[in-house]
Amino acid sequence: MYTILGAWMSIQPILTAENKLLRQKSKKVTRFGDSLRQLVDDMYDTLHSANGLGLAAPQIGVLQRVFIVEIPAEYDEKGKEISPTERYTLINPEFIRMRGEAEMEEGCLSVPGFRGRVKRAVEVTIKAQDLHGKPIRYRADGLLAHVLQHEYDHLEGVLYLDRIESP
């Protein structure tokens, strides 16, 4: 643990594909409080240090149904922000609608140095809980839909390698 500008940072080691924990199904979160908030803070610190788009709790050895996604801001050629960073924290997520199918290249922080093409739904609706246990719902398409499905798979003990079409 270390501090940047007075804030405590806790970057956790990311488990790799050979770790058996990544093949286990995660348990539903039933307690919402400081320890859950600390877990999510650690996950964002870890995600930022690894330069990823998403991270599921099992990837840092915590078998809880929690994942985060952060889609970076987009900028025009002059450096002006076109769209802000989008941050999603999902507790106990469930897909309630999936439509279409498209293939996209994927990588995974738990499978460093390897990429492959995976077919996933193009549009999804997912419901979950926020850090306080309140219900939330998102409709997503494109990259965000793809990342949500990838991270959800981690909660089910599935790696994208299990879904790969072509390495």
Side-chain angles (χ1 to χ4, degrees):
M1 194 179 295
Y2 62 92
T3 166
I4 293 180
L5 299 176
W8 286 101
M9 308 282 288
S10 186
I11 297 168
Q12 303 298 314
I14 296 174
L15 304 181
T16 51
E18 64 278 355
N19 192 302
K20 292 179 181 166
L21 275 179
L22 291 175
R23 294 306 191 160
Q24 293 182 34
K25 196 168 180 174
S26 296
K27 296 187 176 12
K28 186 174 181 172
V29 172
T30 57
R31 292 180 183 224
F32 295 80
D34 291 341
S35 60
L36 180 61
R37 281 189 290 283
Q38 186 61 57
L39 169 64
V40 169
D41 287 347
D42 291 352
M43 289 173 67
Y44 276 109
D45 292 344
T46 303
L47 179 68
H48 295 151
S49 75
N51 293 315
L53 292 177
L55 185 71
Q59 291 179 275
I60 60 169
V62 179
L63 290 175
Q64 295 271 306
R65 297 189 73 75
V66 178
F67 71 77
I68 61 169
V69 173
E70 189 170 275
I71 306 294
E74 290 184 45
Y75 299 89
D76 66 15
E77 64 280 349
K78 295 179 182 175
K80 183 178 179 204
E81 188 177 286
I82 300 170
S83 66
T85 298
E86 296 175 30
R87 211 174 199 202
Y88 304 88
T89 301
L90 292 97
I91 318 294
N92 300 324
E94 266 181 71
F95 285 103
I96 53 176
R97 185 170 186 209
M98 302 174 96
R99 285 186 19 165
E101 188 176 76
E103 193 175 74
M104 190 179 282
E105 187 174 275
E106 281 187 35
C108 180
L109 297 175
S110 291
V111 188
F114 188 73
R115 297 187 69 72
R117 297 192 67 75
V118 178
K119 282 185 185 174
R120 296 202 186 263
V122 177
E123 296 175 13
V124 299
T125 302
I126 191 168
K127 69 177 183 176
Q129 291 169 283
D130 68 11
L131 277 172
H132 307 287
K134 292 189 174 141
I136 54 175
R137 183 182 293 227
Y138 297 109
R139 277 199 288 203
D141 58 16
L143 178 62
L144 178 57
H146 209 85
V147 176
L148 290 170
Q149 292 167 82
H150 176 107
E151 298 309 326
Y152 181 86
D153 274 355
H154 281 296
L155 306 182
E156 296 294 312
V158 175
L159 293 176
Y160 88 104
L161 297 173
D162 303 332
R163 299 185 183 280
I164 204 158
E165 296 277 325
S166 59

